[in-house]
């Protein structure tokens, strides 16, 4: 079993990419009367919600990424620090910029994305010997969170550095949590994504995939099949999200189903999975069982999808005790 028990404050980190989010404002995908800009990225979204759920005496969150020296990069750093996120492991490059993307949202809350990340500084995170220095600096973490996007944006030789970092930290007792979060546009082929996701799974303690990604990459016919496959790899906790269908958890030999409470008035499904992950992880770090932690994840995700954009206003984010139920 995963040893979630840790000293307070828990030292947690996420590694990945934050981007400039441009949101098309309109009633459908064809209507673009204006735009709004924010900063977000899947791992940053999860870490931000964790920072909000876990007060500063309970957790110390770190973000590991790379940025440029431009005003947008400076604004990102300021925003993260305002959320209570430690930026000590954020690299800065004079020759790079943050990536950006635009969200177009339909009336049913579903969205389309367009990206501009060719010059993204985060792609260069492991330039030089930075991965090796992180191996030494992060050994006292309690938990490291990453996603398939974290892996996909790196050049292949730097993906190997990431795998080595995960192995080193896991041997040191750091809990490795992975959400494959498959984005086909970031990979040369589904086979490449499948290979790298499989390799990261071998260094994972807690897997938090969406079944749609598992089906696309591994051709599993049912979420139960995906859960069993991942459990057979030695992953101790498998949390299988499946949209509005029941969430499945495999811990040991048992697979347990948790129905999803349907939400009215869905505005935007962006970061639904990211916020679910934050609720679940935060609850587990505070010593709550799997059932309570699933409730926390589902409740927070249900609130997030009633807002536009990935990160909702801080005042609308409830404390952890309110979403555990």
């Amino acid at each position: 079993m995963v040893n979630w028990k840790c000293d307070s404050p828990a030292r947690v980190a996420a590694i990945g990419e934050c981007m400039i989010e441009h949101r098309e404002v309109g009633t459908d995908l064809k209507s673009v009367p204006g735009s709004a800009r924010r900063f977000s990225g899947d791992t940053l979204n999860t870490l931000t919600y964790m920072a909000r759920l876990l007060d500063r005496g309970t957790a110390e969150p770190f973000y590991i990424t790379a940025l440029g020296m431009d005003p947008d990069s400076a604004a990102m750093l300021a925003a993260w620090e305002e959320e209570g996120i430690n930026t000590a492991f954020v690299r800065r490059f004079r020759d790079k910029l943050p990536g950006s993307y635009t969200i177009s949202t339909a009336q049913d809350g579903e969205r389309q994305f367009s990206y501009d990340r060719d010059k993204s500084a985060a792609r260069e995170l492991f330039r030089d010997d930075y991965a090796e220095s992180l191996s030494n600096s992060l050994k006292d973490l309690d938990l490291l969170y990453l996603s398939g996007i974290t892996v996909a944006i790196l050049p292949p030789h730097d993906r190997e550095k990431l795998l080595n970092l995960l192995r080193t930290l896991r041997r040191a007792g750091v809990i490795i949590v992975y959400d494959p979060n498959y984005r086909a546009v970031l990979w040369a082929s589904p086979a490449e994504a499948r290979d790298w996701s499989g390799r990261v799974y071998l260094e994972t303690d807690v897997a938090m995939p969406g079944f749609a990604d598992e089906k696309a990459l591994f051709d599993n016919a049912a979420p139960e099949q995906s859960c069993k496959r991942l459990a057979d790899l030695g992953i101790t906790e498998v949390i299988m999200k499946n949209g509005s269908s029941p969430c499945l958890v495999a811990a040991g030999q048992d697979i347990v189903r948790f129905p999803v409470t349907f939400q009215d008035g869905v505005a935007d499904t962006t970061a639904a999975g990211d916020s679910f992950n934050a609720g679940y992880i935060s609850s587990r770090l505070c010593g709550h069982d799997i059932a309570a932690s699933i409730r926390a994840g589902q409740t927070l995700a249900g609130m997030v999808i009633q807002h536009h954009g990935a990160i909702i206003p801080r005042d609308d984010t409830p404390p952890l005790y309110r979403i555990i139920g």
Side-chain angles (χ1 to χ4, degrees):
M1 297 296 291
V2 176
N3 181 16
W4 287 96
K5 186 177 181 179
C6 57
D7 296 329
S8 186
R11 289 171 57 85
V12 300
I15 182 169
E17 178 187 35
C18 182
M19 305 178 74
I20 302 167
E21 175 191 295
H22 303 277
R23 178 172 56 86
E24 293 184 353
V25 180
T27 56
D28 54 48
L29 293 174
K30 298 179 181 179
S31 177
V32 192
S35 66
R37 189 184 68 168
R38 307 180 188 185
F39 303 133
S40 66
D42 64 338
T43 54
L44 188 278
N45 300 339
T46 296
L47 190 68
T48 298
Y49 287 118
M50 288 178 63
R52 293 177 179 182
L53 295 174
L54 301 169
D55 60 50
R56 299 190 186 191
T58 306
E60 184 176 10
F62 296 82
Y63 197 45
I64 305 166
T65 191
L67 294 173
M69 302 296 291
D70 57 291
D72 283 325
S73 293
M76 283 185 180
L77 282 173
W80 303 344
E81 290 168 355
E82 187 176 352
E83 292 283 359
I85 294 171
N86 192 312
T87 59
F89 299 112
V90 177
R91 302 191 76 182
R92 306 290 297 276
F93 297 126
R94 293 190 178 278
D95 59 339
K96 295 294 178 180
L97 297 168
S100 66
Y101 69 100
T102 300
I103 302 176
S104 302
T105 308
Q107 288 181 327
D108 62 359
E110 287 303 319
R111 65 265 195 249
Q112 293 181 354
F113 299 87
S114 58
Y115 296 93
D116 181 8
R117 65 192 341 152
D118 289 345
K119 297 180 180 180
S120 171
R123 291 180 179 269
E124 302 292 323
L125 175 61
F126 291 141
R127 182 192 292 183
D128 307 321
D129 298 322
Y130 193 61
E132 184 176 342
S133 67
L134 284 177
S135 295
N136 297 320
S137 301
L138 301 180
K139 286 182 179 179
D140 61 347
L141 285 179
D142 294 292
L143 180 145
L144 178 67
Y145 175 80
L146 74 158
S147 77
I149 294 175
T150 308
V151 185
I153 64 171
L154 297 173
H157 60 279
D158 285 347
R159 293 173 190 165
E160 294 287 356
K161 295 178 183 179
L162 174 61
L163 281 179
N164 289 333
L165 175 63
L166 298 180
R167 293 188 191 103
T168 299
L169 297 182
R170 198 178 184 205
R171 285 197 298 266
V174 179
I175 300 170
I176 305 298
V177 183
Y178 176 59
D179 180 347
N181 210 2
Y182 175 50
R183 296 291 183 268
V185 69
L186 296 179
W187 296 96
S189 66
E192 182 188 53
R194 181 166 54 250
D195 175 62
W196 281 100
S197 190
R199 295 177 70 181
V200 175
Y201 271 139
L202 293 176
E203 309 302 332
T204 295
D205 298 295
V206 180
M208 305 192 73
F211 175 60
D213 291 345
E214 288 297 292
K215 185 175 182 179
L217 288 178
F218 297 97
D219 199 28
N220 292 151
E224 292 84 355
Q225 183 181 358
S226 292
C227 283
K228 185 178 185 305
R229 179 179 58 80
L230 294 175
D232 288 345
L233 293 177
I235 300 174
T236 308
E237 276 183 34
V238 179
I239 299 90
M240 185 72 59
K241 296 162 290 189
N242 195 16
S244 59
S245 298
C247 173
L248 273 61
V249 176
Q253 298 299 315
D254 297 326
I255 297 178
V256 182
R257 294 163 180 79
F258 295 89
V260 175
T261 300
F262 288 91
Q263 297 292 325
D264 295 326
V266 175
D268 184 353
T269 57
T270 303
D274 304 336
S275 55
F276 172 90
N277 292 353
Y280 182 88
I281 295 168
S282 298
S283 178
R284 293 295 272 152
L285 284 172
C286 287
H288 298 288
D289 64 17
I290 288 174
S293 301
I294 292 292
R295 286 197 299 272
Q298 290 180 343
T299 302
L300 180 60
M303 294 177 175
V304 168
I305 63 177
Q306 294 180 49
H307 295 74
H308 285 286
I311 299 176
I312 67 177
R314 188 181 304 134
D315 290 344
D316 291 337
T317 307
L320 182 61
Y321 75 86
R322 279 184 48 202
I323 63 174
I324 291 173

